[in-house]
Amino acid sequence: MIAKTREIENTRRLTNSLPLIRYVDPDYTYYAITNARCSTGEVFVKPGDYVKVGQQIGMRKGPFFEQPIHSTVSGTVVGTVKKFHRSGKLTEFIQVKNDKKDVFVDTAIERTPEEIAKLTREDFVRITKEMSLVGLGGSSFPTYIKFQTTDPIDTICINAVECEPYLSADHRIIMEFPFRVYRGISYAMQAFNAKRAVICIKSKYQDLYDCLTVAKRRFPDLNVEVKRVGNYYPQGWELECIKTGLGIKVPAGTLPAKLGVMVFNVSTIVGLYKAIRYNLPVIKRNFTLTGDGINYPSNYRLRIGTSLQEIIEQSGGYKGDENKVMILGGPMMGANLVRDDAVITKTCTSCIILNEHKEVEEPCVRCASCVYSCPAGLQPVAIMQAVKNNDKEALKNKLNIKACILCGMCSYTCTSKIHLTDYCRKAKKLAL
């Protein structure tokens, strides 16, 4: 068991130091017509149509917003197919055959620094909406809505904590594209007329601190601080990041904007740089494939819409004869996959493939480990009982299930191995 623990820990450390492998020319790419935030969608192309990089090929429709769907390659539309989405659900995707010529749409233009300096807040709203920029840390919240705030913003907070185990996609984006990070920050500060920005990283990562500190010299007039925060989970939770990085405690249910703070994930801020500078949607992203069930844990620079199966093959395939546990996203908040027939969307940070080690769920012993570990101060066992009793009233008014961030700490610390996070997820749906 000790040897197994050491092997997993070595895998976590390994990908942080591995440079990106560019895998940007898959034969086919796939684009989800719907997602977790948009339950319906419309397709603008038909089989046989030729599409270009950055061309809008559909529209997802949410309850109060829309998300354009863009092609990330040039080539021919094949049709629609069913594949697994990052949510773990089987979803319909538009399939495009890549001609590998990278013919860009005519609207992909490089703005000059002078043109960018003249952009207004309304321009930022329009551009990020047209380019369908969303939270790339996994939230997928539309970025243009953040730019629509009427609250005065004093500070831009860049969440580069990446606190879940195994993940290193954001780590590598800083190490290899630090200038894009700073330029994206400068655009965000311009849009909000913010006075300062703070980049939050884990204190143990000296390499990130050194990289960002040296890169900052190219931007002497930019008021940006690199802040080293805690090494614990869930340090990447937005409210925890603001509290430790800025010293501001945001009350539950209050938007950070009300306190003059706007938060962006570090990958999102690089996406903002691409949208403003080149008028392009997110075409490529960093992706970590790791775990003890894969032969060669690696960091990739991928084309959005790439098949997960191709990346597994690029990493030497599966390791060992055991059954595999596949998690798209982090091990704490990611979604389990029943098959590897999945697609890497713009909000996919990683896939973790583990050799299965079954654990038996036992009755609750009332140890309160889940209560002590909950960052939102909730009572997971009481929530579980309310779900079992279908007690919607208790979930809404007494147990405050809305405050749950589904961080997974209750399941992780449970001495009886009860899947408490699953009950919390069900509770959120019941309380709607």
Side-chain angles (χ1 to χ4, degrees), residues 222-235:
L222 204 60
N223 185 17
V224 180
E225 175 189 1
V226 181
K227 179 73 173 182
R228 302 171 90 157
V229 297
N231 294 318
Y232 56 86
Y233 179 86
Q235 174 65 88

Side-chain angles (χ1 to χ4, degrees), residues 55-103:
Q55 179 178 331
Q56 186 175 339
I57 58 176
M59 180 73 77
R60 301 187 193 100
K61 299 180 181 181
F64 58 91
F65 60 86
E66 295 180 331
Q67 287 183 350
I69 306 170
H70 297 96
S71 177
T72 60
V73 298
S74 57
T76 306
V77 176
V78 177
T80 60
V81 294
K82 290 286 187 78
K83 287 184 174 291
F84 283 92
H85 186 260
R86 67 172 289 268
S87 62
K89 296 180 179 179
L90 194 63
T91 305
E92 195 167 16
F93 285 77
I94 304 169
Q95 182 182 15
V96 176
K97 181 174 174 58
N98 184 10
D99 67 4
K100 303 184 181 181
K101 296 180 180 179
D102 272 354
V103 180

Side-chain angles (χ1 to χ4, degrees), residues 379-432:
Q379 302 177 55
V381 171
I383 292 170
M384 176 181 70
Q385 293 300 332
V387 170
K388 290 181 177 180
N389 297 332
N390 198 33
D391 192 344
K392 298 180 182 180
E393 187 67 24
L395 291 170
K396 288 182 181 180
N397 301 320
K398 183 180 177 182
L399 299 174
N400 195 25
I401 186 60
K402 288 184 179 180
C404 176
I405 60 171
L406 299 175
C407 66
M409 283 298 293
C410 52
S411 293
Y412 182 78
T413 59
C414 180
T415 56
S416 297
K417 308 303 178 187
I418 301 171
H419 297 290
L420 291 165
T421 308
D422 286 343
Y423 284 104
C424 291
R425 188 174 287 110
K426 293 173 183 176
K428 280 182 167 287
K429 293 180 180 179
L430 276 176
L432 289 176

